[in-house]
Amino acid sequence: MSRTLFGKLLRRGPRPRPRTVRPALPDDIQAIRQRALLGHHLEQVLWGKVLLNSQFMPPDPKAALVWFRMAADAGYGPAHNMLGRCSHFGWGCPRSLEDAGQHYARAAQLGDNWGRYNLAILTMRGLGRPQDLPTAFALFRTGAEAGHAKSMNIMARFYEEGWVVNQDRAMARQWYHRSAQEGDYRGQHNYATLLAEAGDVQQALHWWEQALPDATPDVLLAVERILPQLGKAVPADFATKVATRLEQALRERETARQNDDSCEP
């Protein structure tokens, strides 16, 4: 190589690496971010959720925590619920069921139905606190009476099983029905199961159909086990639809697990 050419290469230096250009955020997501920057608590929580899990950017749970804390410090219940979720699952902070319970309790005090529901789940299962079924039932009842569909479903389970209340299948059916009408897939499945047991297979199939798009593998497996017991009343294409949706749900769960493993906690 000639000295002249070598000198030119030295003067040029290393070629700069191409810059990674992130795609612009969609207008609706950008609007959420702008309102969050202006101090609107709802949008601060929504922007935090975008930072936790979005197709538009890599997850940043530590940054999400900052936004949740800003809204929580202002006394916004849903923000305390999300701080509880972060502590519950170790998103951006050490996993602590005790801390999760404290944030859920604060969210419940501030009237947030999701915080109340999550606190009730911990209390019912004895996670991060002593198990206390009467207190859990009271929390679910408050949420159910406030229109929270998932609280309706679990309160119905208390009545169906006779946990800390007198067993009352008619009351259970009533609350499962309300939960189903409000769109909770577990409520829809449980209501459909009671309908099938009572011989109303067509209505049961209707509510299972409603549950399919959102149902998790455990619910879909339960439906798959029940259908053969109903005999010829179940169309073959419906059983195929359930099996196909189950395969999809299992793939989605595996993808979500892999994404969780690849994210910094």
Side-chain angles (χ1 to χ4, degrees):
M1 182 183 295
S2 69
R3 291 185 178 181
T4 303
L5 177 58
F6 184 69
K8 287 182 179 179
L9 290 174
L10 285 178
R11 285 194 297 273
R12 288 178 185 172
R15 292 185 179 181
R17 294 181 180 178
R19 295 179 62 186
T20 301
V21 179
R22 292 183 180 176
L25 293 174
D27 290 344
D28 56 340
I29 302 297
Q30 188 64 258
I32 288 172
R33 180 174 178 273
Q34 291 302 319
R35 284 182 62 81
L37 289 167
L38 291 172
H40 294 276
H41 306 321
L42 170 60
E43 282 75 16
Q44 287 173 336
V45 171
L46 293 176
W47 179 240
K49 290 182 178 181
V50 170
L51 291 169
L52 276 180
N53 184 20
S54 171
Q55 60 180 312
F56 306 113
M57 62 185 70
D60 191 346
K62 290 184 178 178
L65 273 176
V66 173
W67 289 98
F68 296 145
R69 286 187 181 122
M70 276 193 281
D73 288 346
Y76 189 55
H80 277 286
N81 176 59
M82 287 310 301
L83 286 175
R85 298 275 290 169
C86 290
S87 291
H88 194 153
F89 297 103
W91 298 336
C93 61
R95 186 171 186 265
S96 170
L97 292 174
E98 291 79 6
D99 288 350
Q102 291 177 8
H103 283 297
Y104 292 151
R106 182 59 180 146
Q109 290 171 355
L110 292 167
D112 181 63
N113 281 327
W114 278 107
R116 184 184 296 110
Y117 172 81
N118 289 323
L119 176 64
I121 291 291
L122 294 188
T123 305
M124 180 177 71
R125 296 177 178 171
L127 299 174
R129 59 189 47 232
Q131 186 181 45
D132 185 343
L133 291 182
T135 296
F137 175 76
L139 290 166
F140 288 128
R141 181 174 59 190
T142 300
E145 291 173 349
H148 189 250
K150 286 191 175 294
S151 296
M152 295 176 189
N153 173 63
I154 298 192
M155 188 175 75
R157 184 70 184 277
F158 272 76
Y159 281 114
E160 183 182 11
E161 303 293 342
W163 296 336
V164 307
V165 293
N166 292 328
Q167 189 175 37
D168 188 337
R169 288 178 65 84
M171 183 68 75
R173 176 169 168 152
Q174 175 184 328
W175 281 105
Y176 282 143
H177 189 196
R178 289 187 60 180
S179 176
Q181 289 176 317
E182 292 296 324
D184 179 52
Y185 69 87
R186 291 188 183 275
Q188 290 163 345
H189 164 63
N190 289 326
Y191 184 53
T193 301
L194 292 187
L195 289 169
E197 290 174 355
D200 194 348
V201 176
Q202 293 309 308
Q203 274 298 301
L205 293 174
H206 165 76
W207 285 109
W208 276 321
E209 182 87 36
Q210 300 304 306
L212 286 184
D214 298 318
T216 48
D218 62 311
V219 169
L220 294 164
L221 282 167
V223 177
E224 197 173 55
R225 285 194 297 267
I226 293 171
L227 293 182
Q229 303 172 26
L230 304 180
K232 296 181 179 179
V234 179
D237 63 338
F238 185 79
T240 301
K241 187 183 297 185
V242 172
T244 301
R245 176 68 186 105
L246 174 59
E247 291 177 4
Q248 178 189 15
L250 289 170
R251 289 195 301 270
E252 291 170 351
R253 185 172 69 178
E254 178 60 21
T255 300
R257 186 193 66 78
Q258 292 174 356
N259 289 341
D260 287 345
D261 289 346
S262 66
C263 294
E264 182 181 356

